[in-house]
């Protein structure tokens, strides 16, 4: 890789955006099972945030099931770890 001219260094390529989709996968023990599916993560593990709070750091397999109380609104984000 070649850095910008005049800076005399190498730069790492910037990772692309992570694309996230959600689906309701059912219920279990009275909780809703939310299936997160993503692509574009570039680290071995990812950070899953629900409503701004980290809830998991699973392997970057492209899927994760979260269990949450029903009848509420949740905002999810998946980020590269590290």
């Amino acid at each position: 890789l070649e850095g910008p001219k005049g800076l005399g260094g190498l730069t790492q390529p910037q990772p692309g955006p992570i694309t996230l989709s959600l689906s309701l996968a059912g219920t279990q023990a009275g909780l809703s099972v939310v299936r997160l599916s993503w692509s574009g993560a570039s680290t071995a593990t990812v950070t899953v945030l629900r409503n701004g709070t980290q809830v998991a750091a699973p392997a970057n397999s492209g899927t994760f099931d979260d269990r949450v109380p029903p009848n509420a609104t949740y905002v999810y984000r998946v980020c590269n770890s590290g």
Side-chain angles (χ1 to χ4, degrees):
L1 300 174
E2 193 174 292
K5 295 192 185 295
L7 294 181
L10 298 178
T11 58
Q12 294 292 332
Q14 295 298 313
I18 295 174
T19 303
L20 175 63
S21 62
L22 306 171
S23 63
L24 182 60
T27 59
Q28 187 177 64
L31 298 174
S32 295
V33 179
V34 179
R35 177 153 300 141
L36 288 74
S37 301
W38 65 88
S39 62
S42 60
T43 54
T45 60
V46 295
T47 301
V48 176
L49 299 114
R50 181 189 340 112
N51 295 344
T53 300
Q54 182 176 337
V55 294
N60 183 7
S61 65
T63 61
F64 174 75
D65 286 350
D66 193 24
R67 288 155 182 80
V68 294
N71 303 316
T73 301
Y74 301 99
V75 176
Y76 285 90
R77 185 173 178 192
V78 172
C79 303
N80 287 312
S81 292

